[in-house]
Amino acid sequence: MTGPLILRQGQRIGRQRFSGREAFRSVSAYYLLPFRFERFCGNEVLVVNDVGEHLFLTASDFARFTGHELRSDEDVYLTLKGKHFLADSDSLVPVDLLAIKARTKRAHLEGFTKLHIFVVTLRCEHTCRYCQVSRVTQDRKRFDMSEAIAHRAVEFTFRAPAERIKIEFQGGEPLLHFERIVQVVREARAKAAATGRHVDFVVASNLALLSDEMLEFFQQERVSLSMSLDGPAFIHNMNRPRPGGDSHEVAIASLTRARAALGADAVSALMTTTRLSLDHPRQIVDEYVLQGFHSIFLRSLTPLGFARRTAPRIGYDIDRFLRFYEEGLDRVLEVNRGGYQLVEVYAQLLLTRMLTPYSTGYVDLQSPSGAGIGVAVYNYDGDVYASDEGRMLAEMGDKRFRLGSLQADSYDEVFGGTRVRELVESSCNESLPGCSDCAFQPWCGADPVFNYATQGDIVGHRPDSDFHRKNAFIIRHLLELYRSDEGVRRIFWRWIRGNTIGDPNAESTT
Amino acid sequence: MPLDPLPWSQQESDTELTLTFDLAIYSLEAIQRACYWLTDRCYAHIETPSPEQARVRLVLKNPSESLRDLAGDLGNRVLDEQLRRQISAETQAVRDLIVAQAFAEADLEESREGDYNEDHEGIGR
């Protein structure tokens, strides 16, 4: 016989009683569902669909997949079909399922602004080297939020349709203006009760001024605390000078009292990484364990405000930070292997986005960014900003992210105006240059304020972007860790479950 | 000893090279997107001397970097960008359908007559 034989079921050729093997092979006519891809070393290709489900394929399987050459009886075909990378019938079920997942992934958009930051004062008794905004001054009138502005800010807060609202007090040092905290908590409680909503409160503080009277109020009103802890005393005190040079000792003493009054879970801690921190990731992680914390957020320095001015002294490039992050995360995993539960918060946020259908409320890991729609900042002087970083830029004289004024503008003008719309349009990473084709796009976010501060443009330039560099590196690193070790997988899933059992959609900047 | 330049690139100087792409194989959009990702390492200029060809000129920002690596990276990136364009074209209709379905219940502004100042949801009240 010459030429190719195409056998169909039931055909008989010559004396052959049964058809050949090819006759029983499923005909594979499939179509591709939307996805993006990224090549990894080791001849592997990562494919990620629009709702963040992912697979690693060999380069050969990837080429056959995109060339429509897979057979329907192959394992890789079934896996791709099961994870919604291809479909092979006219059924709309894959579209329906993907639509549900797409909606779930964007659940954080529902309810509009959930996080409301009240800058009750700009005054502070610390002179932190990286601080963007604080003022050491006795001029209360000039840098404290007035009663009228606070009242108006509470009104704005409850115009947002969110069922669950979080109010965060910041400064300066907010405890320097405790009476304004009391006013806002009481007014917000009354508004929440009247409108059937839930409101949570958190005070971001160095805790140095925490008095028994304050603790009693926080206990009554179930206000939680977010303290600054940059690491062991030699790092913390160097980063956070105050008269006496004892910021660490004072903070830890207050932490003990706060936990006794409010409960262990009511106090969390935040660290900022300076150049000094970079050589001590293990000591910083160990300090968090020593102080009994179960989460640590290895955060890079925000290149804004005073931090930008002092960058030559305390700053560093992003690659140096990423080495620090890698070492710090290694230590966090070691601690977990030793039986102590410690979550690295940025990894937890990314893993939740990578491995579950849920969205996360972290402002900078959203598309569109949470600036102006997930978070609002009410400054001490009545100005409203799209994010805390936007407020910090304003303190440097650049009011690019000022949305309006509590005194002069209506809610509609502030949150429905061109500034907010421009921010949203410029922070959908589905359509941003460089992001739109990136395999990590469904897991990542956009940060227009960071882009503007570092590159002078809210859209940003991805090849030079530290935001891109950081997230691309960390996502790759997490994928490698996750795939390399069963023990790491178990730890990561514990972190994810802890996140999703809580409220994954609760808005946060921390 | 420096490696020879890749045979399909034309080295113009120690810091500059030219690559020519056949537009029957690669789309201009794929070439543009690939160049975009190299703009942290080089200055890029694209021109189409004829309807069949695109010519890309790259000038290194850092003269110590390898022109050969740059040319190789661009060639490989264009291949991937071309594939991305094909996948995108093939899946765009389904992607639109998924987004439309996902937000079908959302009260999108475009679906209304009038503008947001009319405050349909009563957010400002």
Side-chain angles (χ1 to χ4, degrees), chain B residues 40-55:
Chain B
D40 57 333
R41 296 159 60 191
C42 65
Y43 303 102
H45 177 77
I46 305 171
E47 56 192 358
T48 50
S50 73
E52 293 82 30
Q53 282 191 331
R55 186 185 296 150

Side-chain angles (χ1 to χ4, degrees), chain B residues 51-124:
Chain B
E52 293 82 30
Q53 282 191 331
R55 186 185 296 150
V56 179
R57 293 173 66 189
L58 303 176
V59 178
L60 284 174
K61 288 182 176 177
N62 177 0
S64 65
E65 205 183 329
S66 156
L67 270 180
R68 189 179 197 275
D69 287 350
L70 191 67
D73 285 352
L74 180 64
N76 287 353
R77 275 191 179 274
V78 171
L79 276 174
D80 275 350
E81 293 298 343
Q82 183 64 29
L83 180 56
R84 289 191 173 101
R85 303 279 57 77
Q86 287 165 9
I87 293 166
S88 178
E90 190 175 335
T91 58
Q92 191 58 51
V94 181
R95 178 171 275 150
D96 291 346
L97 195 59
I98 290 165
V99 173
Q101 175 111 336
F103 298 104
E105 291 170 21
D107 211 356
L108 298 177
E109 199 171 277
E110 284 75 9
S111 66
R112 293 178 175 280
E113 291 184 1
D115 69 17
Y116 69 90
N117 288 313
E118 291 167 18
D119 192 11
H120 298 281
E121 299 300 326
I123 292 167

Side-chain angles (χ1 to χ4, degrees), chain A residues 19-32:
Chain A
S19 299
R21 189 180 290 268
E22 285 79 6
F24 300 96
R25 182 174 292 162
S26 300
V27 176
S28 96
Y30 60 88
Y31 63 94
L32 306 183

